[in-house]
Amino acid sequence: MNNVIKNVAIRTDGELYCAVVGSVRSGKSMFIRKFMQNRVIPFVQDENEKQRIIDELPQSAEGKTIMTVEPKFIPSKSANVVIENELNISVRLVDCVGYVIPTALGYMNEDESPRLVRTPWFNEDIPFMDAATIGTKKVIENHSHIAVVLTSDGSFGEFSRDDYKQIEENLIKDVKSTNKPFVIVLNTTLPNDEQTSMLVQELKDKYNVSVVAVDVKNMTENDVNEILRLSLEEFQIDSLNINVPDWLDYLDSNHPSIQEFTDVMNEVTLKQNKFKDVEMIRTKLSSCPICNEVVINNLDCGTGVVEINVSFVDNLYEEIISSLLGKEVLNDKGSFLKFIIESIENNTEYSQYKKALEEVKTKGYGISTPLISDMQLDTPEVTKVNGRYGIKLRAIAPSIHMVKVDVESIFEPIIGSYEQSKQIIDKLSSDFESNPEGIWNTELFGRKLSEVVNDGIRTKLYLFPEDVEYKFKESLEKMVNKGKGGILAFVL
């Protein structure tokens, strides 16, 4: 399980700083002691450093009296751990001041005044209750990468499950507000009991976080590894790559055949963003009717990368092609070949004018530059300038100029009375607000509005005289070839 430690270290840039938080008397100090004994001290190579860490291990005791009265960094100087002679990790745990259970002892003075405690973040002593909340947040936000929240089922010590439950919700709410990954450790003397399993599931459902039942007093190396593994699953996914067939990139995301898959993919990528959610993501994608197989190809907790491969049902590609081309074209080899040839020709032709069309849409004027094949070279000539000779090369190439011209079409039918005209106007306005596109299908005097307006536009366009078109072309040629400095006058 050294891979777990490695992945945590990679994810946290070679450091493993863990905040241990919880209510008072929940087993925080014991947890830190067992954690260090199982997964840190055995891997420290320097004997002097090892002895220093042992001396700094927190003490624990039974009863209702609070033991930890200020946050403690354990060890005070980060321990250097070497895993498999190749990975150096700095490890430190923080024993936070516990959140107070009302029936606990030690957080109030004999005169019922709040007990003041020392914290590293204030020059003056502050009330124990404030130290618990402020200190916990500061430790998690500024001095740790992950957190372990200790709670209990009441199977040991002087407090019942209800006692722990009273402050558990506020504690976890505070930890969640830091946005750091954390797990809940349910400290119990009966980790394998059925009732314990039910409580673990209840906590998972309530807080939407990983929960593990552990007998902290007898915690083993495997228990520590499992806690670290669950901590990794609480990290955010940095990169989620869902690999689909490449032809999907050319389809509109709203295409009916893939709409459901697109909706599910958008949903899971927005809502499920932790490593523990990867299997849920795979399951949801697999539920789509068009998906044949969904496989988790790469799950790297250390780098934060998840890669999922998705394959579709065999006949989906053919169904989409058929819906685009029509079954008649797809089933007739001659028609299909003709379609392919025409598509290639049209695409070749369109590619020359694509940029010009885009320019027309954005600024109203676009130019399609000529291809080499369109250029015509006149016979070269010898020229003489100021007693010196040179050559003259003249080439002509057709450039296509596109102009967007707004054509105005006015339709002014005589309706009758003012009231009748007002009713029609109100009806058109209402239709336009509810369905702007649909207004063109409105019928006026037995004809669609779109047909009436289109007739007016075409009439104006076809009345444009040919000689004017020719003169307009000549004017553009002069402007292009003569360059700046000339004067061009239009007489209308």
Side-chain angles (χ1 to χ4, degrees), residues 289-305:
I290 68 170
C291 291
N292 179 42
E293 190 175 28
V294 180
V295 178
I296 300 173
N297 187 50
N298 183 30
L299 183 64
D300 194 331
C301 298
T303 59
V305 175

Side-chain angles (χ1 to χ4, degrees), residues 149-167:
V149 176
L150 264 293
T151 188
S152 173
D153 62 350
S155 59
F156 65 91
E158 304 295 327
F159 297 111
S160 67
R161 169 61 191 159
D162 288 339
D163 291 327
Y164 291 102
K165 193 174 180 180
Q166 287 181 27
I167 54 95

Side-chain angles (χ1 to χ4, degrees), residues 372-429:
I372 295 178
S373 59
D374 296 328
M375 297 180 183
Q376 295 179 1
L377 183 65
D378 285 356
T379 303
E381 300 177 4
V382 176
T383 60
K384 183 179 180 180
V385 180
N386 298 328
R388 304 182 66 182
Y389 292 90
I391 62 172
K392 179 179 180 181
L393 300 176
R394 180 173 179 269
I396 298 177
S399 62
I400 307 298
H401 293 246
M402 300 181 184
V403 183
K404 183 173 71 174
V405 178
D406 294 330
V407 184
E408 184 182 84
S409 177
I410 299 177
F411 179 52
E412 295 180 296
I414 302 300
I415 304 299
S417 66
Y418 173 81
E419 288 75 15
Q420 290 173 324
S421 301
K422 188 67 167 59
Q423 286 178 359
I424 294 177
I425 290 295
D426 292 342
K427 176 67 167 55
L428 290 174
S429 300

